[in-house]
């Protein structure tokens, strides 16, 4: 049984694997495309699976080499991983905090909440315990959400070597070791399957190391299977080719003879897998149940097959190792760290107009530029070449020499004062740990540590964020009276009205029915009778018995609405789903409540189906019913609003209050989350509801 020692410096002279550059480039393109707002690549989150497989492959390959040479040192191994990850993560935290305070201060409390978990590499479990969804982070997601990946990777770095030592010593053959690792991957996937419940949040499954370990372990199993004994190179197949490379067949296609070789088949496999991932980036739905029932494991196996195909000489290897792939792949970690905070800040949830194509290109160029600066200042070690193809790993190592910090620490250690000696010892260890880091990385460590400490101070961060937000958006400081005065000012020429749903005539949409007083809404119920209640236009008071059911938007404006509609029953709750609103409506009406008008204001927290909207109409039992269109920076609100208009067109007693169109035309009505009305928006919301129920003067 091989003996594993705990001394020695892990040094290997492994050759560069070109296919990994292409896979990293593909992965980061997918991830950035997924995080654009709106998302350009709905399946781009699969890039994380590529990163996992590559990470598991490289880590295990390195450990196998060290184990065979009896040079593995767990403390040295962890120190190297910390040196790689910690400076970049801390610099990201510091840079994000500064960026957010300057440009998006509403996000500052979220940065504060995630700074320490990210710095200590447990943010993925923090998100799990706080039940923060990765796929439904709309409005104001934390700019540090993406650091769940670095937390999970560091946890794997800590635990996997300890487990792999046992596997390596107990299993003598490559096949046995790979089989054990494969069994662990299957167990992880089975746990994911058992924990998955359709319709429930998947944060526990998506963020957990135990459930995502399968993707890392697939890469580890591949590393074990492809490993040869000490002294062999990764391109050894060129000198000692496997039997499949001797495969050669002649096939007849339309009277022509074509020769097919094993190498051609492997190249075709590599390109086919590349196409599969590109297509899946564009079409896979992150909420698909099959992903949690073996889908992630399947994509991990496909990624491993791509690595295998790319490690054999041929056109696929050369394509994946092209200079553009080499460059993007070498910067993929820096791009990953900087892209998410930049995209969050550059694409505020309040932006109503879609980003033009050149806007996307500009953002991608900015991410690439910032990523390059981050790489050169923070991520790259001393001696790293400016461009990845100038030299390869092992060519850029500097001779070991004592740094200024180590010299200072050694002198302090020699002092006769115990306190000075302790300071000198700590300084020497820090200097040794950071000896290979560039000065910018050391600055990033210090800045990140200071940022975390400052963010942990017991200050009123909400007030600090609000004060800065008011500097950027003065309308956030308006009182209710000031907001009403501003709304009373003459408005500019109105923008064109949204296209009316089929079957809705102009008289209905403007409330101009000759048999009724004139009210204003996108569509007015034909049996709405404002003569049944009293309206005071000067005070904006209405005595209508209104039943209003809504979500957090309704809850936010409820106090103001209650002042202007004193006889109304207003029920709003955070994160309320449409189905819950149906049950509440049935409960209120079943208890004997008889409203003169029903206002249904749901659809922000999930898509409303045609069947659900029809059920609400059925429950209304012929009463005047208004659907309020939903607005949030999520995909389903447009579908929900279209459903409301279709149902309204089919039922004369159903109307539409188009809050979505009003707030889209006036982003100043909303807080930075692009969903909830500020004081100005609250007054506008109340006025729109009043105008839909009371006739104009």
């Amino acid at each position: 049984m091989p003996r594993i020692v705990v001394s020695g410096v892990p040094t290997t002279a492994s050759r560069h694997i070109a296919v990994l550059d292409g896979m990293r480039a593909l992965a980061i393109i997918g991830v950035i495309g997924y995080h654009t707002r709106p998302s350009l690549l709905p399946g781009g989150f699969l890039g994380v699976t590529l990163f996992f497989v590559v990470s598991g492959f490289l880590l295990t390959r390195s450990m196998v080499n060290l184990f065979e040479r009896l040079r593995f040192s767990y403390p040295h191994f962890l120190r190297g991983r910390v040196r790689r990850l910690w400076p970049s993560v801390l610099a990201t935290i510091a840079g994000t905090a500064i960026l957010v305070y300057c440009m998006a201060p509403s996000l500052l409390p979220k940065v504060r909440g995630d700074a320490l978990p990210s710095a200590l590499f447990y943010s993925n479990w923090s998100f799990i315990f706080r039940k923060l969804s990765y796929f439904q982070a709309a409005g104001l997601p934390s700019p540090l959400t993406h650091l769940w990946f670095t937390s999970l990777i560091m946890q794997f770095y800590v635990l996997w070597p300890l487990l792999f030592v046992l596997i390596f010593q107990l299993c003598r053959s490559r096949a046995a070791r790979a089989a054990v690792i494969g069994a662990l991957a299957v167990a992880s996937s089975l746990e994911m399957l058992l924990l998955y419940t359709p319709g429930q949040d998947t944060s526990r499954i998506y963020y957990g190391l135990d459930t995502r370990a399968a993707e890392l372990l697939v890469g580890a199993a591949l590393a074990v299977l492809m490993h040869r004994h000490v002294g062999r190179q990764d391109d050894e197949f060129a000198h000692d080719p496997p039997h499949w490379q001797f495969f050669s067949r002649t096939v007849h296609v339309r009277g022509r003879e074509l020769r097919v070789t094993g190498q051609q088949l492997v190249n075709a496999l590599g390109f086919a897998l590349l196409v599969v991932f590109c297509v899946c980036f564009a079409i896979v739905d992150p909420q698909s149940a099959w992903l949690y029932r073996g889908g992630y494991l399947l994509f991990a196996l496909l990624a491993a097959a791509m690595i295998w195909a790319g490690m054999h000489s041929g056109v696929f290897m050369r394509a994946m190792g092209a200079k553009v792939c080499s460059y993007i792949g070498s910067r993929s970690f820096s791009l990953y760290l900087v892209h998410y905070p930049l995209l969050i800040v550059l694409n505020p949830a309040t932006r109503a107009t879609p980003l033009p194509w050149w806007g996307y290109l500009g953002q991608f160029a900015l991410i690439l530029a910032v990523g390059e600066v981050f790489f050169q200042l923070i991520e790259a070690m001393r001696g790293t070449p400016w461009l990845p193809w100038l030299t390869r790993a092992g060519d850029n190592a500097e001779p070991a020499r004592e740094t200024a910090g180590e010299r200072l620490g050694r002198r302090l250690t020699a002092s006769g004062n115990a306190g000075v000696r302790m300071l000198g010892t700590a300084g020497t260890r820090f200097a040794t740990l950071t000896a290979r880091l560039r000065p910018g990385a050391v600055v990033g460590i210090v800045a990140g540590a200071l940022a975390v400490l400052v963010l942990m101070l017991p200050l009123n961060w909400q007030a600090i964020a609000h004060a800065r937000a008011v500097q950027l958006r003065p309308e956030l400081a308006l009182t209710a009276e000031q907001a009403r005065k501003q709304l009373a000012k003459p408005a500019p020429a109105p923008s064109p009205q949204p296209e009316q749903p089929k079957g809705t005539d102009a008289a209905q949409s403007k409330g101009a029915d000759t048999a009724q007083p004139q009210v204003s809404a996108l569509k007015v119920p034909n049996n709405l009778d404002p003569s049944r209640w009293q309206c005071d236009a000067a005070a904006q008071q209405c005595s209508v018995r209104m039943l209003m059911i809504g979500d957090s938007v309704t809850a936010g404006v409820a106090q103001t609405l209650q002042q202007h509609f004193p006889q109304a029953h207003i029920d709003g709750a955070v994160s309320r789903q449409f189905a819950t609103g149906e049950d509440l409506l049935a409960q209120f009406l079943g208890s004997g409540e008889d409203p003169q008008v029903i206002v249904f204001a749901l659809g922000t927290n999930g898509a409303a189906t045609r069947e659900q909207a029809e059920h609400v109409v059925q429950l209304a039992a012929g009463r005047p019913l208004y659907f309020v269109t939903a607005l949030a920076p999520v995909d389903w609100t447009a579908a929900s609003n279209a459903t409301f208009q279709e149902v309204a067109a089919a039922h004369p007693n159903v109307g539409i209050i188009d809050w979505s169109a009003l707030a889209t035309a006036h982003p100043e009505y909303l807080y930075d989350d692009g969903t909830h009305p500020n004081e100005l928006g609250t007054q506008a919301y109340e006025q729109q509801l009043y105008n839909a129920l009371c006739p104009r003067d």
Side-chain angles (χ1 to χ4, degrees):
M1 185 177 294
R3 182 174 60 91
I4 307 301
V5 298
V6 292
S7 61
V9 179
T11 58
T12 59
S14 58
R15 295 173 62 87
H16 181 77
I17 304 176
V19 66
L20 301 185
D21 289 334
M23 293 187 66
R24 288 192 187 102
L26 178 65
I28 193 60
I29 290 172
V31 171
I32 294 176
Y34 174 75
H35 284 147
T36 52
R37 304 174 79 182
S39 180
L40 295 177
L41 295 175
F45 66 95
L46 293 173
V48 173
T49 297
L50 290 174
F51 279 132
F52 279 152
V53 175
V54 170
S55 297
F57 175 79
L58 287 176
L59 177 69
T60 307
R61 175 173 171 272
S62 173
M63 288 194 302
V64 172
N65 287 333
L66 292 172
F67 286 173
E68 287 195 343
R69 292 174 172 85
L70 306 182
R71 303 182 68 178
F72 179 76
S73 167
Y74 186 66
H76 287 193
F77 172 85
L78 285 185
R79 186 177 67 183
R81 267 52 194 180
V82 169
R83 185 166 51 211
R84 280 288 185 183
L85 289 182
W86 214 23
S88 297
V89 169
L90 288 175
T92 301
I93 294 172
T96 300
I98 296 172
L99 176 69
V100 162
Y101 178 79
C102 293
M103 300 185 65
S106 297
L107 296 169
L108 190 59
K110 296 199 172 186
V111 173
R112 179 180 185 260
D114 295 335
L116 184 62
S118 299
L120 298 183
F121 300 109
Y122 68 90
S123 64
N124 57 326
W125 293 104
S126 174
F127 294 148
I128 289 172
F129 296 143
R130 291 150 58 194
K131 297 182 179 180
L132 299 180
S133 175
Y134 179 75
F135 296 110
Q136 297 179 4
L140 289 176
S142 170
L144 299 180
T145 299
H146 64 313
L147 294 186
W148 76 270
F149 172 81
T150 57
S151 295
L152 190 148
I153 285 292
M154 178 55 77
Q155 294 160 22
F156 184 74
Y157 286 166
V158 171
L159 298 176
W160 178 235
L162 302 176
L163 182 58
F164 187 70
V165 166
L166 298 177
I167 297 174
F168 190 85
Q169 293 192 9
L170 296 176
C171 303
R172 303 302 299 271
S173 67
R174 288 184 299 158
R177 293 166 184 167
V180 172
I181 297 173
L184 293 175
V186 171
S188 173
S189 295
L190 286 175
E191 183 187 8
M192 176 181 283
L193 185 151
L194 294 174
L195 291 178
Y196 175 74
T197 302
Q200 292 189 6
D201 183 66
T202 58
S203 299
R204 166 63 185 89
I205 307 172
Y206 191 81
Y207 288 130
L209 172 62
D210 51 343
T211 49
R212 299 304 298 271
E215 296 149 82
L216 290 153
L217 293 172
V218 166
L222 177 66
V224 170
L225 287 173
M226 296 199 68
H227 179 74
R228 301 297 176 95
H229 60 75
V230 176
R232 302 293 290 272
Q233 301 293 342
D234 292 323
D235 60 351
E236 58 187 326
F237 299 106
H239 307 288
D240 185 17
H243 294 294
W244 63 262
Q245 284 202 357
F246 295 104
F247 172 83
S248 179
R249 291 289 187 275
T250 299
V251 297
H252 298 273
V253 180
R254 295 183 179 179
R256 300 179 59 185
E257 291 186 353
L258 297 177
R259 186 179 181 184
V260 179
T261 65
Q263 186 177 31
Q264 290 174 339
L265 292 177
V266 171
N267 287 327
L269 172 64
F271 282 113
L273 292 171
L274 179 62
V275 171
V276 167
F277 272 99
C278 291
V279 172
C280 289
F281 281 0
I283 65 173
V284 171
D285 182 358
Q287 303 291 350
S288 299
W290 64 271
L291 286 171
Y292 304 95
R293 295 168 174 167
Y296 283 113
L297 179 61
L298 172 62
F299 281 113
L301 293 171
L302 295 179
M306 188 185 299
I307 295 176
W308 178 84
M311 289 185 69
H312 300 89
S313 59
V315 62
F316 180 67
M317 172 192 281
R318 293 192 295 273
M320 296 296 280
K323 286 188 175 181
V324 62
C325 295
S326 178
Y327 175 78
I328 297 176
S330 67
R331 271 63 173 168
S332 59
F333 185 52
S334 291
L335 292 173
Y336 181 86
L337 292 177
V338 305
H339 86 280
Y340 192 69
L342 287 174
L343 287 176
I344 293 295
V345 171
L346 292 173
N347 299 280
T350 54
R351 188 181 63 204
T353 57
L355 196 66
W357 64 267
W358 51 264
Y360 285 111
L361 291 181
Q363 291 188 5
F364 295 154
L366 178 62
I367 291 171
L368 195 61
V370 175
E372 176 64 25
V373 172
F374 190 94
F375 176 83
Q376 297 295 348
L377 294 180
I378 308 295
E379 183 190 353
M381 297 291 179
R382 291 180 184 270
T384 301
W386 284 93
L387 295 173
W389 53 82
L390 295 180
T391 57
R392 291 301 184 189
D395 299 334
N396 54 13
E398 292 185 341
R401 62 174 182 267
E402 190 178 46
T403 64
E406 290 173 322
R407 286 196 300 271
L408 177 61
R410 179 169 50 79
R411 292 171 182 172
L412 293 176
T413 305
S415 170
N417 185 286
V420 174
R421 284 200 306 271
M422 291 179 59
L423 180 62
T425 301
T428 301
R429 291 179 178 176
F430 180 78
T432 301
L433 181 64
T434 61
R436 292 197 60 209
L437 300 181
R438 291 184 174 179
V442 178
V443 173
I445 293 175
V446 176
L450 288 175
V452 172
L453 290 175
V454 171
L455 290 170
M456 289 177 61
L457 294 176
L459 305 176
N460 190 341
W461 290 99
Q462 290 287 352
I464 294 173
H466 181 71
R468 174 58 184 164
V470 168
Q471 292 178 349
L472 300 178
R473 299 182 58 194
E475 68 269 16
L476 296 178
L478 294 178
T479 64
E481 183 178 354
Q482 292 171 333
R484 285 193 294 270
K485 289 181 179 179
Q486 183 163 325
L487 290 174
K489 295 178 181 178
S495 57
Q497 290 292 322
E499 184 178 349
Q500 301 298 318
K502 190 174 181 180
T504 303
D505 57 38
Q508 277 185 314
S509 65
K510 296 180 181 179
D513 194 312
T514 56
Q516 303 173 359
Q518 187 179 13
V519 297
S520 176
L522 181 61
K523 180 179 183 292
V524 178
N526 68 341
N527 58 346
L528 185 77
D529 186 6
S531 64
R532 300 173 60 193
W533 48 83
Q534 296 179 348
C535 297
D536 183 348
Q540 291 276 297
Q541 290 278 341
C542 179
S543 64
V544 63
R545 292 196 318 275
M546 175 179 65
L547 172 60
M548 184 173 185
I549 298 175
D551 47 32
S552 58
V553 175
T554 302
V557 301
Q559 184 176 0
T560 297
L561 294 184
Q562 202 71 65
Q563 295 172 358
H564 294 272
F565 300 90
Q567 303 301 318
H569 180 179
I570 301 171
D571 191 301
V574 176
S575 300
R576 178 173 285 167
Q577 300 292 320
F578 200 92
T580 305
E582 296 176 67
D583 296 338
L584 284 174
L585 179 60
Q587 175 184 336
F588 290 145
L589 296 179
S591 65
E593 192 164 342
D594 185 22
Q596 295 170 314
V597 178
I598 298 173
V599 178
F600 212 77
L602 287 168
T604 300
N605 299 302
T609 65
R610 179 68 182 262
E611 292 75 15
Q612 289 176 318
E614 291 283 359
H615 185 220
V616 172
V617 175
Q618 180 183 357
L619 291 173
R623 297 179 180 88
L625 167 67
Y626 271 121
F627 284 113
V628 180
T629 56
L631 178 64
V634 290
D635 297 333
W636 59 74
T637 53
S640 296
N641 295 339
T643 297
F644 297 154
Q645 295 195 26
E646 291 172 3
V647 172
H651 298 277
N653 69 307
V654 179
I656 299 290
I657 298 174
D658 202 356
W659 165 248
S660 175
L662 179 63
T664 298
H666 296 278
E668 70 274 12
Y669 289 173
L670 303 173
Y671 284 113
D672 289 343
D673 62 1
T675 302
H676 297 92
N678 53 36
E679 190 58 56
L680 185 63
T682 297
Q683 298 301 322
Y685 194 103
E686 180 275 322
Q687 288 186 12
Q688 188 180 39
L689 184 58
Y690 179 88
N691 293 335
L693 296 171
C694 291
R696 299 175 184 175
D697 293 337

